[in-house]
Amino acid sequence: MNALVKEVSSTIPSSEAAFFRGLIGTVIIWFMMRHSEVAFSRRGISMLVLRGVLGALYLIAYFYTISKIPLTDASILAHLSPIFVIIMSAIFLKENISGKIALILPIIFIGALLLVKPFDYSSYSVYAFVGVLSAMLAAAVFNQSP
């Protein structure tokens, strides 16, 4: 999907690509629910709307990043979301970070920095910031407990 988004980003806006990706996903899920006879729930609609909005913002930010910087860098930035889950859970949920995780977290950050060429100042851009933002949104949206 990422390679296709990169390819079409020269002809259509990232928001349009995100819209069609979401539309196709919605249709597929609807057919799967219908086939499995799963009923729509009316509980927690406000949280589902919030999750949908944040998910859409994530997808738009991620596709925008893919369209503006090399695909490898965009993928690395997006895959930082588990690290943001750890950090956000400690800050917002007051969860304890184990000693092993606390030891590994700086190593992960250093590794990610080296992969995205930290000494090449052209890699520091608003596009990279949007990529990090997409990882933070992914952490907030897709890594939630039920």
Side-chain angles (χ1 to χ4, degrees):
M1 179 185 71
N2 296 346
L4 290 174
V5 169
K6 181 74 171 175
E7 181 62 32
V8 300
S9 66
S10 62
T11 56
I12 66 170
S14 54
S15 57
E16 192 172 333
F19 171 78
F20 283 111
R21 192 267 188 202
L23 181 65
I24 292 168
T26 301
V27 169
I28 290 171
I29 289 172
W30 183 79
F31 277 114
M32 290 172 64
M33 287 178 66
R34 191 171 169 147
H35 177 34
S36 299
E37 298 178 359
V38 175
F40 284 98
S41 173
R42 301 220 185 266
R43 293 183 16 208
I45 290 177
S46 60
M47 289 305 291
L48 286 173
V49 168
L50 176 64
R51 188 173 183 167
V53 168
L54 291 175
L57 290 174
Y58 152 74
L59 205 55
I60 291 168
Y62 183 47
F63 284 4
Y64 180 76
T65 303
I66 289 173
S67 72
K68 299 297 183 186
I69 66 175
L71 186 57
T72 53
D73 289 353
S75 293
I76 290 166
L77 293 173
H79 285 92
L80 290 176
S81 64
I83 286 97
F84 289 115
V85 168
I86 294 168
I87 295 168
M88 287 180 185
S89 68
I91 294 170
F92 297 113
L93 302 176
K94 307 295 186 228
E95 291 186 5
N96 292 327
I97 297 177
S98 71
K100 291 178 186 178
I101 299 296
L103 184 65
I104 292 173
L105 210 52
I107 297 169
I108 294 169
F109 271 119
I110 292 168
L113 282 174
L114 292 174
L115 286 172
V116 294
K117 304 177 287 288
F119 303 112
D120 177 9
Y121 293 109
S122 66
S123 66
Y124 295 107
S125 65
V126 70
Y127 309 124
F129 174 74
V130 172
V132 172
L133 179 64
S134 75
M136 290 171 64
L137 285 167
V141 175
F142 299 112
N143 297 310
Q144 294 177 355
S145 300

